[in-house]
Amino acid sequence: NTTDFMERSMWRRDYITFQPWDEYIPRIQHLRDTSQTSLFAHIRAMSRLSNRLLKAVGCVIVFVLVWTLLPFTTITFWQFLVLIGTLLQPTILLYIIYWSGNRFDISLDAIIKYFASGFVICTGMAFIYEILVSTFISLIVLVSAIIGSFFFYDDDPGKLWDESSPSDAITGNNDNDNDN
């Protein structure tokens, strides 16, 4: 049994940064016990993973902003604003749902981790789904085009359609000897 080889404190860790819970959970519990509402106090109490996640988002925003401002880029400033809006909308929603009234029920650290894991998982799944669906649709179109080329192939490439009238096509009369 692996629990026999590990101390009990080793069981409770962040599995990405391996930071023990004992390093940051007491700070979060202290915020709850003292009912501190300061955003900066909650930010200082976060784990290393949450700090790294916030720094990563900040780096991505700065990188995209710098890339947007370069003269040779194809990204417009409006596209940058769409990125900001994409990140700002769930942030405002999480603020309203969790932070404004329930800041002592769930920590800012947990909110950041839940949001990041959901965002990464959902974005990755959507990306893979879009690749699979677009590949599948492309294959359907390709197969349809190949099959269609066998049915509609004509020896005379200059002839686009049958020159008989539509009524002849319906009746099956393909005689073009109706010239008087």
Side-chain angles (χ1 to χ4, degrees):
N1 193 355
T2 57
T3 57
D4 296 336
F5 300 109
M6 294 173 38
E7 298 176 23
R8 190 160 186 84
S9 65
M10 296 293 287
W11 296 357
R12 297 180 181 153
R13 324 192 136 256
D14 182 335
Y15 292 116
I16 296 176
T17 60
F18 298 107
Q19 180 182 14
W21 288 1
D22 295 340
E23 288 183 14
Y24 64 94
I25 293 296
R27 294 187 306 239
I28 294 172
Q29 189 61 44
H30 176 72
L31 293 174
R32 288 181 181 153
D33 294 341
T34 58
S35 299
Q36 289 187 22
T37 59
S38 168
L39 176 63
F40 295 109
H42 286 265
I43 290 174
R44 283 191 302 270
M46 289 188 315
S47 66
R48 276 185 256 156
L49 176 61
S50 293
N51 281 320
R52 288 179 183 172
L53 289 169
L54 288 178
K55 288 176 185 175
V57 168
C59 287
V60 166
I61 289 172
V62 168
F63 175 76
V64 173
L65 176 64
V66 169
W67 189 262
T68 301
L69 298 175
L70 292 174
F72 58 83
T73 186
T74 59
I75 299 174
T76 65
F77 190 71
W78 293 109
Q79 290 170 326
F80 173 73
L81 292 178
V82 168
L83 171 69
I84 297 298
T86 302
L87 294 174
L88 196 60
Q89 183 265 339
T91 304
I92 292 170
L93 190 64
L94 288 172
Y95 173 80
I96 291 169
I97 292 173
Y98 292 111
W99 187 256
S100 63
N102 304 316
R103 67 183 72 179
F104 300 116
D105 296 332
I106 185 168
S107 68
L108 181 63
D109 184 69
I111 292 170
I112 290 170
K113 288 177 182 176
Y114 293 151
F115 173 74
S117 64
F119 198 81
V120 168
I121 290 170
C122 291
T123 303
M125 287 175 55
F127 185 71
I128 290 170
Y129 177 78
E130 289 293 328
I131 288 174
L132 291 175
V133 167
S134 66
T135 303
F136 181 70
I137 297 296
S138 297
L139 286 174
I140 288 174
V141 169
L142 179 66
V143 168
S144 299
I146 291 171
I147 291 172
S149 69
F150 288 120
F151 287 112
F152 299 110
Y153 178 74
D154 194 2
D155 290 336
D156 186 7
K159 184 176 170 184
L160 297 177
W161 59 81
D162 190 14
E163 295 174 357
S164 62
S165 69
S167 62
D168 290 341
I170 293 171
T171 61
N173 183 11
N174 289 333
D175 262 347
N176 288 334
D177 296 332
N178 295 337
D179 301 304
N180 289 348

